[in-house]
Amino acid sequence: QVPLVESGGGSVQAGGSLRLSCVASGSIYYTYGSVYMAWFRQAPWKEREGVAGVARDGSTSYGDSVKGRFTISKDNAKRTLYLQMNSLKPEDTAMYYCAAKYGGSRPLDPRMYKYWGQGTQVTVSS
């Protein structure tokens, strides 16, 4: 069973908006209040990049390229993570992944995360 399932990706023109969702299941479902959740993205031929993260206390971290445009949020009751993406640019085109970990540092380092979803594609056209 895949522990995290993303949805909400699609194609949009530059300047548009999308909202991604990530629903947890399995062991993460029962410990959702304790996990650190994050969004990553990976474009073809590029390394996986940290987009945004949210700690169990609600504090957030953002990658420099998305600050002021993207907002991460978490609904513990629904076991769902969100990423509101506004003012989208062609360079935001990538596969977006949801990830989870228990504690640790470096919130936007993909090597710190054990649990991953299968991804949802976002394509922004100019």
Side-chain angles (χ1 to χ4, degrees), residues 28-29 38-39 47 80 83 91 101 115 119:
I28 299 176
Y29 181 93
W39 288 98
E47 292 185 355
T80 302
L83 184 69
E91 51 263 45
K101 67 184 179 84
Y115 303 96

Side-chain angles (χ1 to χ4, degrees), residues 22-117:
C22 171
V23 179
S25 62
S27 61
I28 299 176
Y29 181 93
Y30 296 103
T31 58
Y32 201 72
S34 301
V35 296
Y36 193 104
M37 302 291 298
W39 288 98
F40 293 85
R41 67 186 182 186
Q42 189 166 19
W45 317 115
K46 292 187 177 181
E47 292 185 355
R48 192 162 294 190
E49 174 190 15
V51 175
V54 57
R56 59 183 181 178
D57 65 358
S59 58
T60 56
S61 300
Y62 291 94
D64 289 341
S65 62
V66 306
K67 284 180 181 176
R69 300 188 297 122
F70 291 9
T71 303
I72 190 170
S73 61
K74 183 183 174 200
D75 186 331
N76 287 347
K78 295 182 178 180
R79 308 303 199 268
T80 302
L81 180 73
Y82 301 100
L83 184 69
Q84 178 65 45
M85 305 186 295
N86 298 328
S87 302
L88 282 162
K89 304 175 181 179
E91 51 263 45
D92 294 319
T93 295
M95 184 72 79
Y96 283 71
Y97 298 91
C98 171
K101 67 184 179 84
Y102 295 97
S105 59
R106 303 200 296 274
L108 297 182
D109 184 343
R111 297 170 296 179
M112 302 299 293
Y113 288 77
K114 179 179 180 180
Y115 303 96
W116 291 86

